[in-house]
Amino acid sequence: MNTPQYWPTWEELPAIKGMPDVTIDKDGKPISNLEQWETQRAYLKEMFAHYMYGHIPQERGKVTANVVEKCLKFHEKAVNEHIILTFGDAKKIPLHVRFIYPNQPQKRFPVIIRSCDNIWEEIPLEEKALTEYGFALAAFNRCDLCADRTMREMLAKYRRGELTDGAPSTMEALKKMDALTPADEDLDHTSSAVTEAYPGYDWGQTAQWGFGYSLVTDYLETLPFIDSQKICFTGHSRLGKAALCAGIYDDRAAVVTPNGSGCGGVGSFRF
């Protein structure tokens, strides 16, 4: 595909009433076969990169893994591992992963990958997913990749007494973050480890979080007991957006299931 050299500005984009038809190409011609769809798909991915996500490194380099903790869980029916993945081009950085899988040697398992704030926080039905349904589960810490600018801004307001009333879940999250964040930390400074590891890209926060799914997949593909044809990406809210972004650019995800991802996720901007 020849990538367009020029994308219209927001002001130059034509108004479209109703939902745009993805089966009509940029020249107004209908798509009728797989080859045409692959061309359209590449065009849409580049359009999303330009207007929404920025461009994501396609060459991640080698991902190495160090299993720092390993134990049995759920009456010894599951193996629970704390793994630190190391990756990067210009700079090597760590990514903390909790990986738990059924304790059933000689079997292969589908795997669900999610991004989160606390890799040790169990999800509902976790035991059943492992011991009855036979899934492996992997969770990575998104803030190892890119600090949460929105939450840091809210924490700064919370500490100044400017934010005292909000959704109970938000206020509880701020209290936890306040306890974990040093009192003298500069909350106006938001770091991004992946931009230091891969300089020169214009990607934003959502894409940087989404990058973690590909890194974890790089590692899981090396494990003989993981069925690499049955990989699922998921996440909630903004991390649902990150899962969606990851699934758009990483074809190894067989299923992408964002939860509550809203506008900018699977929800329509228009309706």
Side-chain angles (χ1 to χ4, degrees), residues 8-21 270:
T9 65
W10 292 106
E11 293 77 12
E12 294 170 328
L13 289 170
I16 300 175
K17 295 183 178 180
M19 295 291 287
D21 188 346
R270 188 157 300 183

Side-chain angles (χ1 to χ4, degrees), residues 63 80 89-90 95 98 101 112 114 117 126 134 151 157 161 169 179 202 215 226 244 250 263 271:
V63 176
N80 191 42
D89 186 4
L95 175 64
R98 177 180 176 236
Y101 52 92
I112 300 173
R114 66 185 178 95
D117 296 318
E126 181 171 286
M151 288 300 293
K157 292 180 180 179
S169 59
D202 62 351
L215 294 167
I226 291 298
L244 176 62
D250 193 330
C263 288
F271 298 106

Side-chain angles (χ1 to χ4, degrees), residues 53 142 146-150 203-210 238 242:
Y53 299 123
R142 60 173 177 142
C146 174
D148 188 334
R149 290 188 291 271
T150 300
W203 49 345
Q205 181 173 262
T206 298
Q208 291 172 29
W209 289 339
R238 288 181 298 158

Side-chain angles (χ1 to χ4, degrees), residues 39-199:
T39 299
Q40 172 77 341
R41 184 167 175 261
Y43 173 80
L44 292 173
K45 287 167 69 174
E46 180 59 29
M47 181 176 68
F48 294 152
H50 177 80
Y51 289 114
M52 288 180 59
Y53 299 123
H55 293 82
I56 302 167
Q58 297 304 303
E59 298 296 330
R60 291 177 293 278
K62 185 178 180 180
V63 176
T64 60
N66 179 27
V67 180
V68 295
E69 185 178 357
K70 185 174 183 177
C71 64
L72 295 178
K73 194 172 174 65
F74 302 131
H75 308 290
E76 300 189 355
K77 292 182 179 180
V79 181
N80 191 42
E81 296 181 347
H82 176 200
I83 302 167
I84 299 178
L85 301 181
T86 304
F87 64 95
D89 186 4
K91 179 181 179 181
K92 299 297 182 183
I93 58 175
L95 175 64
H96 290 260
V97 179
R98 177 180 176 236
F99 180 43
I100 185 167
Y101 52 92
N103 187 18
Q104 300 178 36
Q106 311 306 319
K107 287 192 175 183
R108 301 181 76 222
F109 312 108
V111 61
I112 300 173
I113 305 172
R114 66 185 178 95
S115 51
C116 62
D117 296 318
N118 179 4
I119 62 174
W120 298 110
E121 185 175 8
E122 293 183 13
I123 59 174
L125 303 179
E126 181 171 286
E127 182 175 2
K128 181 174 286 189
L130 289 151
T131 62
E132 294 185 26
Y133 301 147
F135 281 92
L137 306 173
F140 66 89
N141 189 335
R142 60 173 177 142
C143 290
D144 286 346
L145 304 167
C146 174
D148 188 334
R149 290 188 291 271
T150 300
M151 288 300 293
R152 289 175 70 87
E153 290 170 0
M154 292 177 68
L155 179 58
K157 292 180 180 179
Y158 177 80
R159 286 182 169 178
R160 292 195 298 264
E162 299 172 6
L163 181 57
T164 58
D165 185 24
S169 59
T170 300
M171 300 308 294
E172 183 63 28
L174 285 172
K175 288 179 182 178
K176 290 181 180 179
M177 189 175 178
D178 185 36
L180 294 171
T181 306
D184 59 351
E185 184 167 328
D186 181 6
L187 296 175
D188 293 327
H189 174 70
T190 54
S191 61
S192 169
V194 288
T195 58
E196 296 178 9
Y198 303 93

